Amino acid sequence: MKAILTRRQLLAGVALGSVGVGLGARAARAFSIEPMTAPVSKAYGLACQPTAAPGIDHLQLIADTRALLQGEIAHGLKPADAQEVVVCPLCGCSITVTADASS
């Protein structure tokens, strides 16, 4: 059995959909990006030093990414000379990682 929309149902759906889109757009504007203040920036920078937070430093990030990249190469998912660019979640710096530890 086919459901056929009446003109009233169609117009009501369009009207309610428009209201929903308007409310959704308003909620999306609730977020904003602001630059870090100097003390916050310094704290994030200190957090990236290997002695500040064991396990959450650049060396660990590189080692984890290299292991993942080597696994993908071993399974044939990526070419042998593949590179991966990762971003430190604390300081935001970009690091290019290769499967070869000498690079």
Side-chain angles (χ1 to χ4, degrees):
M1 185 170 147
K2 252 183 168 176
I4 298 175
L5 291 176
T6 64
R7 186 176 191 180
R8 181 176 289 162
Q9 291 171 328
L10 180 65
L11 291 174
V14 169
L16 290 175
S18 298
V19 170
V21 168
L23 291 176
R26 182 176 177 200
R29 287 184 294 211
F31 296 100
S32 64
I33 298 175
E34 298 178 11
M36 284 193 251
T37 61
V40 172
S41 179
K42 185 176 179 181
Y44 273 85
L46 289 173
C48 276
Q49 294 178 357
T51 57
I56 308 177
D57 60 357
H58 291 164
L59 297 177
Q60 185 66 42
L61 181 64
I62 291 168
D64 293 345
T65 305
R66 183 167 285 133
L68 180 66
L69 189 58
Q70 288 171 341
E72 290 175 339
I73 291 170
H75 287 93
L77 299 174
K78 291 195 175 183
D81 61 346
Q83 296 181 353
E84 190 79 29
V85 177
V86 292
V87 177
C88 176
L90 297 175
C91 69
C93 64
S94 298
I95 304 168
T96 301
V97 180
T98 62
D100 182 16
S102 65
S103 309

